Amino acid sequence: MFGFMKKTMVDQADALSGRDTRMPVPDHHEVLDTPPAGPYPEGAQIAEFGMGCFWGVERIFWRLGQQNGIITTAVGYAGGYTANPTYEEVCSGRTGHTEAVRVVFDPRLTSYEDLLKVFWEGHDPTQGMRQGNDAGTQYRSMILYRGEDQRKAAEATRDAFQPALTSSGYGPITTEIVPAGEFYFAEPYHQQYLSDAKNPNGYCGVGGTGAVCPIGVARTDG
């Protein structure tokens, strides 16, 4: 119905126009009990990733826990053209967005490189416009960086991870590394969808390759 298998990027001129009305965002995180849309604590930093179905991806990051620097997480749409899209519109392939996760973290407790390691190892970044059985442009792998330090770290860890993937029989990394634009929060029911409060037995097939990203080799000084 909504074109879930669309595997080619829509041209900007053909993208849905969207709307001015923003999606409401819950006041608190179902697991971490922090505000997903802020305000965030002073000194907090933001990382945004696309790595397949955002339900499972968000769970990967919130499970790292506040003791490991995770302040809050949220799911949304990013990397495309349509303003304030709906889930159905994103699944149509006519917005250009990927399903994305925002991770707000305390850099005193974890580093951006540590989150990149989770990103690279948590999915298969070689599959193009799909992730496992989920096919379509909304499932493509993407790093949406904020500032030059994040860009350099993303590119360095990508380059460090490729040999590990190659030796495991995988092809070239297809992950897009692009500047972060507007992050459009997804509908409230998608937020922390796999939490015990919502779907304790929910399924999401996000999974990695088994290859290990050597972030110690790839760290940069900015």
Side-chain angles (χ1 to χ4, degrees):
M1 177 178 180
F2 296 114
F4 291 91
M5 298 295 285
K6 186 171 178 60
K7 296 182 181 180
T8 56
M9 276 292 292
V10 65
D11 291 334
Q12 184 171 1
D14 296 326
L16 299 174
S17 59
R19 58 198 53 80
D20 294 332
T21 304
R22 292 182 177 274
M23 199 70 68
V25 184
D27 293 333
H28 73 281
H29 192 286
E30 291 287 353
V31 179
L32 302 175
D33 199 30
T34 47
Y40 305 133
E42 184 177 354
Q45 295 183 16
I46 296 173
E48 291 171 352
F49 305 115
M51 45 193 289
C53 172
F54 55 16
W55 295 341
V57 175
E58 186 186 17
R59 182 172 60 181
I60 289 172
F61 285 103
W62 87 54
R63 281 181 168 175
L64 296 176
Q66 292 174 320
Q67 73 276 13
N68 290 314
I70 305 303
I71 296 170
T72 198
T73 62
V75 297
Y77 314 115
Y81 311 115
T82 301
N84 300 298
T86 65
Y87 178 71
E88 290 78 14
E89 288 172 341
V90 172
C91 288
S92 76
R94 297 182 61 202
T95 71
H97 292 300
T98 192
E99 292 191 12
V101 171
R102 169 176 286 189
V103 183
V104 183
F105 66 99
D106 184 341
R108 298 171 300 178
L109 298 177
T110 194
S111 68
Y112 185 63
E113 287 87 351
D114 290 333
L115 298 182
L116 285 168
K117 180 178 175 68
V118 175
F119 167 82
W120 291 119
E121 295 179 1
H123 75 304
D124 181 349
T126 71
Q127 294 191 331
M129 300 299 183
R130 59 185 288 264
Q131 195 61 213
N133 292 327
D134 294 327
T137 57
Q138 72 271 27
Y139 298 115
R140 69 193 189 277
S141 177
M142 182 178 289
I143 298 172
L144 300 116
Y145 64 82
R146 292 172 175 266
E148 280 299 290
D149 287 348
Q150 286 194 1
R151 180 189 65 80
K152 291 177 181 178
E155 292 177 351
T157 52
R158 175 199 60 196
D159 295 345
F161 193 36
Q162 183 64 69
L165 287 170
T166 301
S167 65
S168 297
Y170 290 89
I173 289 172
T174 60
T175 301
E176 297 175 31
I177 299 177
V178 298
E182 185 78 23
F183 181 89
Y184 297 105
F185 287 90
E187 292 83 345
Y189 76 91
H190 287 297
Q191 305 298 337
Q192 298 88 62
Y193 183 84
L194 296 181
S195 65
D196 289 344
K198 290 187 174 181
N199 290 285
N201 299 313
Y203 169 79
C204 192
V206 171
T209 61
V212 176
C213 181
I215 64 165
V217 174
R219 288 187 185 277
T220 65
D221 295 325

